[in-house]
Amino acid sequence: AQSVTQLGSHVSVSEGALVLLRCNYSSSVPPYLFWYVQYPNQGLQLLLKYTTGATLVKGINGFEAEFKKSETSFHLTKPSAHMSDAAEYFCAVSPDTGRRALTFGSGTRLQVQP
Amino acid sequence: DAGVIQSPRHEVTEMGQEVTLRCKPISGHDYLFWYRQTMMRGLELLIYFNNNVPIDDSGMPEDRFSAKMPNASFSTLKIQPSEPRDSAVYFCASSSGQAPFFGPGTRLTVL
């Protein structure tokens, strides 16, 4: 079985500040990990994914995440927040890249203050 | 490519009525997923298909829900009869073995 825990249902940062969204996972097999972003009234858009290889993954819009097996974590970061980053972010885990269903965390809503 | 297409985008119906949600996956994708999003339960997998065959339907809430994929370019999720607790946003996603692409969702309201 797999599960994801996202710490903090709401995170607020100032524009230009560091963004850190936390994700911890549980998996009995090597995990594939994903971050998706959801803007209001829209579907989910893939930010980045970890499959194998390099543990630091770079995604779109300046986001990156680091897979830390010892900490079972996959935290999402961005050095400088922009107003357009305000959205809900979901971490997900799967036993495969796209051939199995994803298990999602409960989401973190990011607010960016001017 | 137009991405994953879902229809309708919004559906309002009365309790007891039949509801059919539709999904057209991205051409060439052989995996199709149906998810439901609610405030209380977050994003839940309902069912997924591979090459039009259902692989895992353990997330389908009860017999009132059924899903079909008659061909590679079309899937339906049907609720009969609908109940107020079925109100949610229903997402379809498709994949070719990479990360799934999500559609815009259907917001269902059952009165």
Side-chain angles (χ1 to χ4, degrees):
Chain A
Q2 299 186 308
S3 66
V4 172
T5 301
Q6 291 185 240
L7 296 175
S9 59
H10 290 82
V11 170
S12 182
V13 301
S14 299
E15 191 173 20
L18 171 72
V19 175
L20 171 61
L21 305 182
R22 299 179 186 273
C23 172
N24 288 89
Y25 69 90
S26 174
S27 178
S28 57
V29 298
Y32 292 80
L33 295 158
F34 308 80
W35 276 100
Y36 281 82
V37 61
Q38 185 180 30
Y39 298 100
N41 299 315
Q42 294 188 26
L44 281 73
Q45 179 183 6
L46 180 69
L47 277 178
L48 49 80
K49 63 183 179 186
Y50 168 78
T51 53
T52 58
T55 57
L56 183 61
V57 180
K58 295 186 184 299
I60 62 172
N61 301 339
F63 285 93
E64 62 182 36
E66 186 171 9
F67 171 61
K68 292 187 177 180
K69 183 178 179 180
S70 61
E71 298 177 9
T72 61
S73 68
F74 191 57
H75 302 331
L76 182 71
T77 60
K78 182 174 180 177
S80 177
H82 191 273
M83 296 296 290
S84 61
D85 295 327
E88 187 144 22
Y89 292 80
F90 292 92
C91 182
V93 64
S94 174
D96 202 330
T97 307
R99 297 180 180 86
R100 301 281 295 277
L102 273 59
T103 299
F104 285 90
S106 55
T108 297
R109 184 167 298 278
L110 177 66
Q111 291 183 316
V112 182
Q113 307 291 342
Chain B
D1 199 320
V4 176
I5 298 172
Q6 293 187 245
S7 64
R9 292 293 311 276
H10 301 272
E11 176 80 34
V12 180
T13 191
E14 293 189 347
M15 182 174 61
Q17 296 298 307
E18 177 179 295
V19 175
T20 299
L21 311 182
R22 298 173 174 80
C23 175
K24 177 178 171 56
I26 293 173
S27 177
H29 283 192
D30 53 353
Y31 288 83
L32 184 138
F33 307 85
W34 282 101
Y35 286 89
R36 179 171 67 175
Q37 184 178 37
T38 62
M39 289 292 291
M40 292 297 292
R41 300 175 67 89
L43 277 157
E44 306 173 277
L45 175 74
L46 297 176
I47 186 172
Y48 80 94
F49 297 82
N50 176 221
N51 290 324
N52 313 334
V53 176
I55 302 301
D56 182 357
D57 66 353
S58 59
M60 296 287 265
E62 48 200 270
D63 292 345
R64 297 186 297 108
F65 285 68
S66 62
K68 295 181 180 179
M69 194 165 185
N71 58 62
S73 60
F74 184 64
S75 177
T76 60
L77 178 68
K78 185 177 293 186
I79 308 173
Q80 167 63 16
S82 58
E83 296 183 1
R85 58 188 169 130
D86 302 330
S87 297
V89 181
Y90 291 81
F91 288 105
C92 176
S94 70
S95 165
S96 61
Q98 300 300 315
F101 289 81
F102 281 75
T106 295
R107 181 174 297 274
L108 173 65
T109 302
V110 183
L111 303 176

